[in-house]
């Protein structure tokens, strides 16, 4: 389970969010085919999950004919930042999280480390400017 703001998201909710971040938007039928059917979950359960995520303001929806089409209300990056903030807060600050991240970084490829370095450099430049 992941915690974001005041919500705890279960495995199905995270799977639905990930599928929508990848797809951009989808209706219940499409989400059931992608997420529900492979897990042996009924279409109604997927529909309820989409509704819950909509009520939590994590999804938007619009009516198309007789069905709703859902799309993410926030980006994957914004969600991840919120989860990290919650974890850092639960651990008593950023230091334990940064230490764990540094240890984890020892297991990633050089290209990923280069991307991380570029992101840190960009953030430092923004802080200096702002």
């Amino acid at each position: 389970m992941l915690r974001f703001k005041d919500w705890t998201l279960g495995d199905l909710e995270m799977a639905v969010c990930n599928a929508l971040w990848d797809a951009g938007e989808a209706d219940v039928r499409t989400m059931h085919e992608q997420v529900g059917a492979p897990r042996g979950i009924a279409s109604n359960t997927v529909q309820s999950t989409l509704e819950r995520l909509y009520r939590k303001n994590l999804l938007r929806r619009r009516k198309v004919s007789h069905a709703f089409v859902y799309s993410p209300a926030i980006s994957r990056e914004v969600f991840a930042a919120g989860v990290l903030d919650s974890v850092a807060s639960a651990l008593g600050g950023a230091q334990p999280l940064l230490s764990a991240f540094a240890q984890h970084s020892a297991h990633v490829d050089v290209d990923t480390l280069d991307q991380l370095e570029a992101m840190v450099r960009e953030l430092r430049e923004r802080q200096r400017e702002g």
Side-chain angles (χ1 to χ4, degrees):
M1 282 195 201
L2 286 178
R3 188 158 180 80
F4 177 72
K5 292 191 178 185
D6 293 329
W7 310 300
T8 300
L9 301 185
D11 292 339
L12 181 58
E13 289 174 317
M14 279 308 310
V16 166
C17 285
N18 277 316
L20 280 171
W21 282 319
D22 291 342
E25 67 176 20
D27 60 10
V28 172
R29 185 174 46 92
T30 302
M31 290 307 302
H32 179 256
E33 289 170 2
Q34 290 182 3
V35 178
R39 294 168 176 244
I41 294 171
S43 180
N44 287 346
T45 302
V46 173
Q47 183 175 4
S48 296
T49 301
L50 288 162
E51 177 65 25
R52 257 191 330 276
L53 291 168
Y54 170 75
R55 287 184 185 163
K56 292 178 180 183
N57 295 315
L58 292 171
L59 300 181
R60 291 186 190 105
R61 70 181 182 190
R62 61 186 173 85
K63 191 93 163 179
V64 176
S65 188
H66 297 292
F68 286 115
V69 174
Y70 293 87
S71 62
I74 63 171
S75 69
R76 191 183 316 239
E77 293 76 15
V78 167
F79 180 83
V83 170
L84 287 176
D85 287 345
S86 295
V87 170
S89 179
L91 292 173
Q95 191 58 46
L97 185 61
L98 291 173
S99 294
F101 185 76
Q103 288 176 351
H104 172 74
S105 296
H107 306 288
V108 300
D109 60 78
V110 174
D111 289 340
T112 302
L113 289 174
D114 288 343
Q115 291 173 351
L116 174 60
E117 193 173 80
M119 286 183 232
V120 170
R121 193 171 32 253
E122 181 182 323
L123 288 171
R124 284 186 175 175
E125 288 174 14
R126 278 194 225 154
Q127 283 182 339
R128 287 182 190 127
E129 293 172 358

